[in-house]
Amino acid sequence: MKAFSACLKIMKRRKMTFVIYFSVFAALLLSMVFLGDSSMYGDFTAKRPNYALISRDGGGALAQGLAKVLEYTGTEVELEDSKEAMMDAGFFQAVDCIFVIPEGYQQGFWDGEETSLQMWQWPSSSTGYYLRSAVEQYLSLIRMYQAAGGMSETEMAEAAADSMELETEVTVRRYTDGALVSEKIRLFQRFIPYIMLLICISGVGNVFLCFKKPEIRMRNLCSPVRPVSFAVGKFLYACVVGVGVWVLLNLMGIIVCRKEWMEIDARLWLLYFGNSFVFVFVAVSVALLCSAVISSENAMSFVTNIVSLAMCFVSGVFVPLEMMGSALLKVAKFVPVYWFEENEGRISNLAGFGRETLKPVYEGMLIQAGFAAALFCIYLLVNKYQQQAEESYGSVRTEIEQ
């Protein structure tokens, strides 16, 4: 295993570079865990979004009831009735929704005319939809009272507003062993593929670049080392780098989130570690493929960032899968990182450890292993093509030899 020994010697000489790489990427991972958006893993606690209500139609019964409903639903922010003030409040996210009652709206509403309440919210804002839903429900209730008849305008507005204040107790139960998976653990597992790809491609690619120097390549072609033995040695080195990164990252995760890890079921430990261990071979295969087609350090740095970011952006690492469109999800299914993230969600939401429950998790791991095998086969083809191209120079005869 001379190739394997040579890779280790190169890595040993560049150990400070690898230590810096790992330290920077580990710090990046921790920052993403502690500063990442954990709202997607929140509970069912009621929120009180900020809103602004501007009435240009006086303080009639309808407007008073609307103000009462909004006051019960969210927190009012005093806002000047001007376009500039509204734009500033929206830009600086001081409010989640702005409601404007135009002139003549209340009388037109009671007369049954087609009138509309002016509403603005942040695009795709869940809190904005929550406020708009409350207002629309309030207006629908008044329409129902109006259709039933027998009540004055004030009575209908008050009855609808009082109905909106009714509450019921909700009990959330989880039928599983152990405590819920902590948000810190989920965020750590969510971002770990990005760091694995970065470190594996950098650690493998920068070492293999040394073998692509012209004098080294010519010497290897003349050496008694068989090409198969040389390729196996490089593959073993890449696996050592991948497994080493996996061990270090998981140890760091256990140390940082040791309290949270101790609260969950031990079987979840095995599933999380197994899922990330399978992905290690995906990262190794990607690193081998990148090292086969890149021949300069500048290009290696560029490809490392582009490949890692591209694979993670479309696969739910930086943007949760729940927020991605159907078209993008179809594309993401052809990326192995997607199946890692899908498996992470399944493991975190397990309600039991039966065969039927764990079957999708095992299938996700097998799909990742299939991607790793496919990428490794592509690497072998590229490597074989390059080897044949180099060996073909030996059959070229010059004019003097002819």
Side-chain angles (χ1 to χ4, degrees):
M1 293 297 176
K2 293 184 177 180
F4 179 72
S5 301
C7 291
L8 291 181
K9 289 180 180 179
I10 296 172
M11 184 178 182
K12 186 177 180 179
R13 291 183 178 180
R14 299 187 176 186
K15 59 183 179 181
M16 288 306 301
T17 303
F18 291 111
V19 169
I20 293 173
Y21 269 126
F22 183 82
S23 301
V24 171
F25 293 144
L28 178 62
L29 175 60
L30 293 178
S31 64
M32 288 189 291
V33 169
F34 288 103
L35 300 178
D37 181 15
S38 60
S39 59
M40 61 174 295
Y41 307 125
D43 54 16
F44 294 94
T45 306
K47 305 295 183 181
R48 293 187 59 82
N50 296 329
Y51 72 91
L53 177 62
I54 299 175
S55 178
R56 299 171 180 171
D57 195 33
L62 184 64
Q64 293 177 4
L66 180 59
K68 185 177 180 181
V69 170
L70 288 173
E71 183 180 359
Y72 173 75
T73 307
T75 303
E76 184 177 7
V77 175
E78 295 292 338
L79 200 61
E80 181 184 347
D81 186 7
S82 65
K83 183 178 180 180
E84 291 77 10
M86 297 181 193
M87 293 176 64
D88 289 341
F91 179 80
F92 293 105
Q93 301 184 15
V95 293
D96 297 289
C97 203
I98 300 176
F99 300 93
V100 178
I101 303 176
E103 294 182 4
Y105 172 78
Q106 297 183 79
Q107 187 61 41
F109 181 87
W110 296 122
D111 294 340
E113 299 178 0
E114 291 293 333
T115 56
S116 60
L117 184 69
Q118 298 178 12
M119 293 182 284
W120 175 90
Q121 71 175 66
W122 271 98
S124 302
S125 170
S126 58
T127 53
Y129 282 117
Y130 174 56
L131 288 168
R132 294 189 63 167
S133 176
V135 172
E136 291 170 357
Q137 186 177 359
Y138 165 72
L139 297 177
S140 298
L141 285 173
I142 294 180
R143 290 295 189 191
M144 292 175 58
Y145 288 127
Q146 195 175 21
M151 298 176 68
S152 65
E153 296 177 356
T154 303
E155 291 174 341
M156 286 188 287
E158 291 179 353
D162 293 338
S163 299
M164 295 291 295
E165 295 183 6
L166 296 177
E167 294 183 351
T168 184
E169 183 179 357
V170 177
T171 303
V172 181
R173 295 183 179 181
R174 181 181 175 89
Y175 298 93
T176 184
D177 301 328
L180 295 174
V181 178
S182 170
E183 298 176 9
K184 288 174 63 177
I185 296 178
R186 298 194 64 175
L187 284 172
F188 187 89
Q189 293 294 323
R190 176 179 157 192
F191 290 119
I192 204 172
Y194 175 58
I195 305 303
M196 279 188 178
L197 286 170
L198 282 173
I199 299 178
C200 286
I201 297 175
S202 300
V204 173
N206 287 314
V207 170
F208 287 1
L209 282 177
C210 298
F211 295 101
K212 290 195 172 185
K213 295 180 179 180
E215 60 275 14
I216 302 298
R217 291 166 63 185
M218 289 187 289
R219 181 175 179 179
N220 289 335
L221 289 173
C222 299
S223 67
V225 180
R226 298 177 57 188
V228 175
S229 177
F230 188 74
V232 171
K234 292 170 65 177
F235 173 72
L236 289 178
Y237 166 76
C239 291
V240 168
V241 172
V243 174
V245 170
W246 175 77
V247 171
L248 291 175
L249 288 178
N250 281 287
L251 282 177
M252 183 180 67
I254 293 175
I255 294 172
V256 173
C257 309
R258 58 185 180 277
K259 181 180 178 181
E260 290 78 6
W261 278 110
M262 297 303 296
E263 293 176 352
I264 65 176
D265 195 295
R267 288 170 288 188
L268 291 176
W269 287 50
L270 298 177
L271 292 174
Y272 275 128
F273 294 157
N275 189 40
S276 58
F277 184 75
V278 174
F279 185 79
V280 162
F281 295 97
V282 176
V284 167
S285 300
V286 173
L288 289 171
L289 184 58
C290 291
S291 65
V293 297
I294 303 302
S295 57
S296 67
E297 293 186 2
N298 293 333
M300 180 60 68
S301 300
F302 176 77
V303 170
T304 298
N305 289 284
I306 292 298
V307 171
S308 303
L309 287 173
M311 294 181 67
C312 294
F313 260 117
V314 301
S315 303
V317 175
F318 302 107
V319 179
L321 293 173
E322 294 80 0
M323 299 179 63
M324 297 171 62
S326 58
L328 189 57
L329 285 175
K330 292 179 181 178
V331 176
K333 291 181 179 179
F334 293 95
V335 181
V337 183
Y338 167 84
W339 298 101
F340 176 91
E341 296 296 329
E342 188 76 11
N343 248 15
E344 183 274 328
R346 292 168 181 165
I347 296 171
S348 300
N349 297 317
L350 279 177
F353 297 93
R355 180 179 300 178
E356 294 298 324
T357 307
L358 294 177
K359 183 179 178 182
V361 177
Y362 295 146
E363 290 177 350
M365 294 182 184
L366 289 176
I367 293 174
Q368 293 180 66
F371 272 104
L375 292 169
F376 183 68
C377 290
I378 296 174
Y379 160 72
L380 292 178
L381 290 175
V382 174
N383 192 54
K384 183 65 176 178
Y385 174 78
Q386 292 177 344
Q387 181 182 339
Q388 290 177 347
E390 290 176 347
E391 292 177 349
S392 64
Y393 286 108
S395 60
V396 176
R397 301 183 63 185
T398 63
E399 295 178 357
I400 299 177
E401 293 175 327
Q402 293 176 353

